[in-house]
């Protein structure tokens, strides 16, 4: 939408993403035609003077490029629904990968996480990344079920002369010390919260 008018281009939608990310460089692979329309489905082409007033040029290819980079991609309801369902599954998968049942230390299945997400009526936000949403979901699920982020196992190799001092600083972050070994250097294997 520009200068109070609506302009449309006919393009291959899966290619738009490639164009915007710079993977696809060939405009002909993205556009079905280099024409600018007022309404693609009715085949109504935009007037030259409208293009001039809205885009400052009547070069159709140039205008197509501007619309490609700034315009909104039209998505049908069915496609939007499919996209949201896919995101829902992706979020559940991330949560299942990152979390365990704190009592058993075993991971939850994706299906179980999906069911739990439905129980808390989690609605996917199309404009937020799945990773961000997965972290939100974990917080919300904590209120309803036994779930926590899986610990990360780290191995620290500390120089002996600094080892004790550094260990004191690390202590508040360490959940469980699995092994400690003083040799040429101090080696600590421990579990920490991924945060």
């Amino acid at each position: 939408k520009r200068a109070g008018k609506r302009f449309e281009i006919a393009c291959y939608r899966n290619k738009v993403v490639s164009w915007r990310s710079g993977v696809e460089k060939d405009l002909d692979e993205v556009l079905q035609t280099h024409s600018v329309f007022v309404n693609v489905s009715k085949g109504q082409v935009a007037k030259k003077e409208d293009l001039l007033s809205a885009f400052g040029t009547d070069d159709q290819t140039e205008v197509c490029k501007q619309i490609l980079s700034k315009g909104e991609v039209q998505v049908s309801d069915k496609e939007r629904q499919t996209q949201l369902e896919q995101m829902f599954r992706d979020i559940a998968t991330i949560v299942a990968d990152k979390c365990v049942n704190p009592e058993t230390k075993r991971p939850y299945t994706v299906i179980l996480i999906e069911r739990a997400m439905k129980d808390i009526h989690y609605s996917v936000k199309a404009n937020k990344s799945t990773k961000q949403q997965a972290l939100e979901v974990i917080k919300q699920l904590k209120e309803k079920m036994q779930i926590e982020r899986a610990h990360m196992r780290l191995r620290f190799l500390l120089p002996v002369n600094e080892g004790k001092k550094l260990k004191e600083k690390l202590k508040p972050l360490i959940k469980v010390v699995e092994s400690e070994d003083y040799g040429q250097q101090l080696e600590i294997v421990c579990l920490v919260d991924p945060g």
Side-chain angles (χ1 to χ4, degrees):
K1 291 193 178 90
R2 271 280 180 90
K5 289 195 167 64
R6 180 190 177 91
F7 301 94
E8 299 183 348
I9 52 175
C11 50
Y12 302 104
R13 202 171 51 252
N14 54 341
K15 289 284 186 180
V16 174
V17 179
S18 311
W19 172 266
R20 285 181 170 173
S21 63
V23 174
E24 181 59 70
K25 302 271 193 274
D26 185 354
L27 201 56
D28 292 323
E29 286 291 315
V30 188
L31 295 176
Q32 292 175 27
T33 166
H34 284 244
S35 305
V36 179
F37 299 85
V38 179
N39 187 320
V40 169
S41 50
K42 291 182 182 164
Q44 295 170 340
V45 183
K47 296 190 183 98
K48 261 189 173 179
E49 54 269 27
D50 288 345
L51 290 178
L52 272 169
S53 70
F55 296 95
T57 177
D58 61 0
D59 178 341
Q60 302 258 348
T61 303
E62 198 42 54
V63 173
C64 283
K65 283 183 184 171
Q66 286 193 41
I67 294 175
L68 258 182
S69 61
K70 298 195 179 86
E72 287 176 31
V73 183
Q74 288 180 323
V75 186
S76 73
D77 288 344
K78 191 170 183 352
E79 284 168 324
R80 188 175 287 113
Q81 188 57 36
T82 308
Q83 185 193 357
L84 291 175
E85 282 169 9
Q86 183 55 53
M87 283 181 83
F88 190 88
R89 264 193 301 277
D90 290 348
I91 293 166
T93 305
I94 294 171
V95 173
D97 283 346
K98 288 185 178 300
C99 293
V100 291
N101 177 333
E103 284 183 351
T104 61
K105 300 292 180 208
R106 306 282 304 152
Y108 283 109
T109 63
V110 176
I111 291 164
L112 207 141
I113 296 295
E114 279 186 17
R115 204 173 302 144
M117 282 167 66
K118 284 180 184 144
D119 288 346
I120 61 167
H121 306 294
Y122 187 79
S123 58
V124 177
K125 296 157 197 72
N127 56 349
K128 275 181 122 175
S129 81
T130 46
K131 189 168 181 191
Q132 269 179 316
Q133 293 185 72
L135 296 174
E136 276 175 28
V137 167
I138 294 169
K139 277 191 202 127
Q140 292 178 27
L141 289 178
K142 271 185 176 169
E143 295 167 18
K144 298 284 178 202
M145 63 191 280
Q146 292 264 312
I147 189 168
E148 69 176 26
R149 295 278 302 269
H151 289 132
M152 280 170 64
R153 176 176 280 113
L154 298 179
R155 179 163 153 261
F156 292 108
L157 294 171
L158 310 172
V160 170
N161 52 350
E162 297 290 326
K164 283 212 163 70
K165 216 176 354 179
L166 289 172
K167 188 186 159 192
E168 284 309 306
K169 286 188 174 161
L170 291 170
K171 243 187 192 158
L173 307 173
I174 296 175
K175 289 283 172 217
V176 180
V177 174
E178 289 190 345
S179 72
E180 238 178 277
D181 191 21
Y182 286 91
Q184 295 299 308
Q185 48 194 357
L186 169 58
E187 179 182 314
I188 302 175
V189 178
C190 59
L191 301 179
V192 299
D193 275 332

